[in-house]
Amino acid sequence: MRPPRIGVLALQGDVREHLQALSTVGADPVAVRRRAELDAVDGLILPGGESTTISYLLDESGLADPLRARLADGMPAYGACAGMILLATEILDAGSGPRVAVALGGIDMTVRRNAFGRQVDSFEDYLSVTGLDGPVHAVFIRAPWVERVGPDVTVLARAAGHPVAVRHGAVLATSFHPEVTADRRIHELFVALVTGRA
């Protein structure tokens, strides 16, 4: 059986780090910049970066509508930080002017951008994540938090009283950046979602 082909949206952000993480957990990682590459993957990671910039580049590249359609069709996806913002159905403080963060609707949730503060307020913590043994090393960089989840969304972890890791079916999102640590359990969980083992 072939390993799952998992794409990393490669428009901006922590692309290389996610590709490296995927290669260590039994996936076939692929950078996704074009429609044909999106069509060929079994699941997709939306990396951390700048959510308004990624939104703009999704529109410019023509990937926004095909990505929405694949999510609506049930494609497994994982969003980290900016990726969490993009997977929401509603974004608070989405930006202004020509650059705004666009909700792709992968998870029924409301997310607040930069909820933990600016770059200088970035921090690290160890979180208990439902389904994983032992604390997860979580790096928060200008991170969002979740203010509302729909009835079918499971909260997997909280920080400062707010959800920071959630799951809706085969779609996963975290406020933090597991790709910048040596802990690969979030990526392992996503691979398990893609292959139907979770």
Side-chain angles (χ1 to χ4, degrees):
M1 188 169 139
R2 73 168 176 83
R5 180 170 292 128
I6 299 180
V8 178
L9 186 65
L11 302 178
Q12 192 258 349
D14 291 347
V15 176
R16 183 191 59 197
E17 293 86 349
H18 282 290
L19 290 169
Q20 288 176 335
L22 286 169
S23 70
T24 67
V25 296
D28 174 16
V30 177
V32 172
R33 295 181 185 89
R34 297 174 186 81
R35 171 72 181 269
E37 293 161 344
L38 176 63
D39 291 343
V41 298
D42 302 312
L44 182 71
I45 292 179
L46 288 78
E50 214 296 307
S51 57
T52 59
T53 299
I54 296 172
S55 295
Y56 172 78
L57 294 172
L58 278 170
D59 280 334
E60 287 292 300
S61 66
L63 280 174
D65 288 337
L67 178 49
R68 276 193 192 91
R70 290 239 31 215
L71 289 168
D73 286 343
M75 177 185 67
Y78 165 50
C81 196
M84 171 186 257
I85 295 166
L86 298 173
L87 284 175
T89 49
E90 182 183 16
I91 303 168
L92 304 178
D93 301 326
S96 59
R99 297 278 176 100
V100 295
V102 176
L104 298 171
I107 298 178
D108 181 11
M109 63 180 175
T110 302
V111 172
R112 182 175 297 279
R113 289 177 70 234
N114 302 329
F116 285 101
R118 303 175 67 81
Q119 190 84 15
V120 70
D121 301 308
S122 300
F123 66 98
E124 298 181 31
D125 200 355
Y126 287 87
L127 303 178
S128 174
V129 177
T130 300
L132 300 181
D133 293 331
V136 170
H137 183 192
V139 177
F140 293 85
I141 304 169
R142 292 178 60 208
W145 67 41
V146 179
E147 296 214 347
R148 177 201 62 84
V149 294
D152 298 324
V153 177
T154 302
V155 175
L156 302 177
R158 294 178 182 270
H162 294 276
V164 294
V166 296
R167 175 184 169 188
H168 186 185
V171 183
L172 177 69
T174 63
S175 298
F176 52 89
H177 292 264
E179 74 280 3
V180 301
T181 75
D183 191 334
R184 295 292 177 242
R185 288 176 293 162
I186 297 291
H187 290 86
E188 288 171 351
L189 173 60
F190 182 55
V191 170
L193 291 172
V194 173
T195 59
R197 290 182 287 111

